[in-house]
C-alpha cells in the first residue's frame, strides 16, 4: 500500500509553502527583537529621578 497519495503530497506542499515565509520572518525578527531589548535595558540604566518626576510620583500616591 502506498504511504503517500497525490492529494496528501499536495497538502504537505501547501503547508510547507505557507509555513516557510512565516518561519523565515520569525527568524529574521529575532535579532532585531533582541537588539531592542538591549536598547531598552541601557535606557533604564541611565534613568535618574528628577524633581519633577518625584513630584509626579507623589501625586500618584496621593501625597
Amino acid at each position: 500500500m502506498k504511504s503517500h497519495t497525490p492529494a496528501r503530497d499536495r497538502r504537505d506542499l501547501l503547508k510547507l509553502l505557507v509555513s516557510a515565509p512565516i518561519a523565515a520572518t520569525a527568524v529574521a525578527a529575532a535579532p532585531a527583537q533582541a537588539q531592542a531589548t538591549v536598547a531598552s535595558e541601557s535606557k533604564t540604566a541611565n534613568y535618574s529621578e528628577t524633581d519633577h518626576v518625584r513630584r509626579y510620583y507623589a501625586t500618584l500616591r496621593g501625597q
Side-chain angles (χ1 to χ4, degrees):
M1 190 168 181
K2 287 174 117 180
S3 63
H4 289 283
T5 61
R8 182 171 175 170
D9 288 340
R10 194 173 311 125
R11 277 183 272 155
D12 290 341
L13 176 64
L14 289 173
K15 287 179 194 176
L16 178 67
L17 290 174
V18 169
S19 62
I22 296 170
T25 303
V27 169
Q33 195 173 31
Q35 192 174 27
T37 303
V38 170
S40 67
E41 288 173 358
S42 65
K43 288 180 185 176
T44 308
N46 295 331
Y47 174 76
S48 62
E49 252 184 44
T50 58
D51 287 334
H52 76 279
V53 172
R54 286 188 201 102
R55 285 192 304 265
Y56 175 73
Y57 287 158
T59 61
L60 292 178
R61 288 189 296 258
Q63 296 176 352

